[in-house]
Amino acid sequence: PDYQHKGLGKTLIQKTAQWARENFPNPTLRLEVYKKNAGAVTFYQKLGAQLTDIKQEQMPHGVFEEFLCFEWR
């Protein structure tokens, strides 16, 4: 929480995308986020991420959780 809303995440994603564009032809950045993490989901969407898939994964305690897959192209 001490580092939220200071632009660090936005800068990290932007710099990563810049590096990828400079080093690879037509890069795609991908990440998965826990579906219940509404703040992160909104953040990635505001940065232009596109939802590409929804996955269910079994957690170590046996419960299945949904993860959203996002991409930037």
Side-chain angles (χ1 to χ4, degrees), residues 1-7:
D2 291 343
Y3 296 102
Q4 289 181 328
H5 307 288
K6 297 187 185 324

Side-chain angles (χ1 to χ4, degrees), residues 10 13-14 17 28-33 39-53 68-73:
K10 182 178 179 179
I13 289 173
Q14 288 173 334
T28 299
L29 300 179
R30 295 182 177 97
L31 64 78
E32 294 181 11
V33 62
V41 170
T42 299
F43 172 71
Y44 298 135
Q45 290 174 325
K46 284 183 180 179
L47 290 178
Q50 299 296 312
L51 179 65
T52 59
D53 197 10
L68 305 179
C69 304
F70 286 101
E71 289 184 359
W72 288 269
R73 293 182 183 265

Side-chain angles (χ1 to χ4, degrees), residues 10-69:
K10 182 178 179 179
T11 298
L12 178 63
I13 289 173
Q14 288 173 334
K15 293 291 185 182
T16 301
Q18 178 184 350
W19 177 85
R21 284 190 303 272
E22 291 170 356
N23 291 280
F24 300 97
N26 304 314
T28 299
L29 300 179
R30 295 182 177 97
L31 64 78
E32 294 181 11
V33 62
Y34 182 51
K35 183 178 179 179
K36 293 180 183 178
N37 189 345
V41 170
T42 299
F43 172 71
Y44 298 135
Q45 290 174 325
K46 284 183 180 179
L47 290 178
Q50 299 296 312
L51 179 65
T52 59
D53 197 10
I54 300 173
K55 295 182 179 181
Q56 285 197 354
E57 295 184 21
Q58 188 172 16
M59 307 311 291
H61 57 284
V63 174
F64 282 87
E65 297 287 354
E66 286 190 323
F67 289 83
L68 305 179
C69 304

